[in-house]
Amino acid sequence: MEVRLQKFLADAGVASRRKAEELILAGKVSVNGTVVTTLGTKVDDKTDEVSYNGKKVVPNTHFVYVMLHKPEGYVTTVKDQFDRPTVMDLVKKIPERIVPVGRLDYDTSGLLLLTNDGDLTYHLTHPKHKIEKVYLAKVFGRPDENAVNQFKWGVMIDGRRTEPAKLEILEDLGKYTMCRITITEGRNRQVRKMCEAVKHPVATLKRVATGDVALGDLAKGKYRFLTEEEVRSLKNS
Ligand code: URA
């Protein structure tokens, strides 16, 4: 079957479709021995030989979908330039070349998906799909109605308004308030910046759901495979 080169690379788990486009433009991909820098080049997934960084790319035979309860103190990259622990250290036993779907900050804990299904990664991380991500945030002070409304309208961060978001008050903890925050984008440190912008900085942050898939009682530092039902719901989200 003929597929676009960036989709071939994404399906093979090399990178997300967007990242694969960058790799192609950077001249890191060749087809049958010739470097290809044109996006959209079609390849036959059975007969063409695609290489990335000089190594043959083998299409996936089966996809794996993993949920990790990321602890604080881990970076969400495959390799860290400062040699800090990475989330990959926690899923070492999985032989497939899985990569994190999006990112959680070093100091954020909670639900992180990892997969070798580039299409699903693309689907879940593209802002146009507006997949809901739910966080428990312990914030300083007590957000009032005005803060709740600002989230509803979208908050200005880095000179650009966010999509409408939800801020729900769960519990008064005295100096802090426990909140549930729902966003549909994945901008850099988005929740922390939004809370900062409404003058209630985050003390601790944990992601508890992506779409209909919830972290539940999975222990910190542990992972599990998603159920078929969970995979289906993510694909349809
Ligand atoms: N928003 C943040 O500020 N940090 C995360 O890790 C995720 C969302």
Side-chain angles (χ1 to χ4, degrees):
M1 191 179 64
E2 286 218 324
V3 293
R4 290 156 79 89
L5 185 52
Q6 54 266 47
K7 178 163 160 51
F8 178 91
L9 292 166
D11 286 349
V14 170
S16 70
R17 221 186 286 189
R18 254 175 304 167
K19 195 95 198 145
E21 289 179 356
E22 288 171 23
L23 299 176
I24 295 167
L25 291 172
K28 296 197 167 160
V29 179
S30 61
V31 180
N32 302 323
T34 307
V35 172
V36 169
T37 54
T38 311
L39 298 179
T41 299
K42 293 266 179 72
V43 290
D44 188 302
D45 58 1
K46 300 272 179 319
T47 56
D48 284 323
E49 186 170 308
V50 176
S51 303
Y52 160 56
N53 268 347
K55 263 205 240 137
K56 186 173 171 193
V57 176
V58 183
N60 276 318
T61 44
H62 87 290
F63 292 128
V64 286
Y65 305 91
V66 172
M67 168 198 294
L68 170 71
H69 186 160
K70 176 195 173 295
E72 300 87 347
Y74 283 77
V75 283
T76 310
T77 45
V78 174
K79 177 98 186 84
D80 182 47
Q81 54 175 332
F82 305 114
D83 260 350
R84 291 174 296 183
T86 85
V87 292
M88 303 316 291
D89 296 337
L90 300 168
V91 293
K92 272 196 179 135
K93 288 199 187 128
I94 297 171
E96 286 84 4
R97 217 158 66 95
I98 54 174
V99 291
V101 179
R103 238 168 231 210
L104 285 180
D105 298 333
Y106 182 73
D107 39 4
T108 300
S109 65
L111 192 166
L112 183 70
L113 299 173
L114 300 106
T115 182
N116 58 354
D117 181 346
D119 258 352
L120 185 67
T121 301
Y122 178 78
H123 179 73
L124 293 176
T125 52
H126 201 294
K128 80 174 178 203
H129 293 122
K130 297 199 166 56
I131 312 286
E132 289 195 339
K133 269 90 56 177
V134 186
Y135 296 84
L136 288 182
K138 188 167 99 178
V139 303
F140 284 92
R142 172 100 189 155
D144 58 11
E145 210 184 308
N146 181 40
V148 171
N149 283 331
Q150 284 195 62
F151 267 65
K152 224 184 262 176
W153 298 323
V155 177
M156 283 296 283
I157 58 170
D158 301 328
R160 195 158 59 87
R161 192 173 294 284
T162 67
E163 289 286 322
K166 209 182 327 170
L167 169 60
E168 298 164 273
I169 310 291
L170 297 183
E171 196 185 353
D172 187 343
L173 300 171
K175 185 175 161 196
Y176 305 100
T177 305
M178 187 56 78
C179 304
R180 186 190 295 121
I181 292 175
T182 307
I183 61 173
T184 61
E185 303 155 285
R187 287 165 60 179
N188 181 36
R189 296 181 77 81
Q190 180 166 344
V191 173
R192 291 173 194 276
K193 287 177 182 169
M194 291 174 84
C195 291
E196 187 95 35
V198 301
K199 307 276 186 304
H200 294 283
V202 163
T204 65
L205 187 62
K206 176 182 180 183
R207 180 154 68 199
V208 292
T210 295
D212 288 333
V213 173
L215 183 63
D217 55 9
L218 183 64
K220 205 181 263 192
K222 299 285 184 211
Y223 68 83
R224 70 167 174 85
F225 292 94
L226 296 189
T227 64
E228 276 179 29
E229 180 60 39
E230 285 172 325
V231 174
R232 207 170 316 126
S233 92
L234 289 175
K235 287 183 176 171
N236 294 331
S237 58

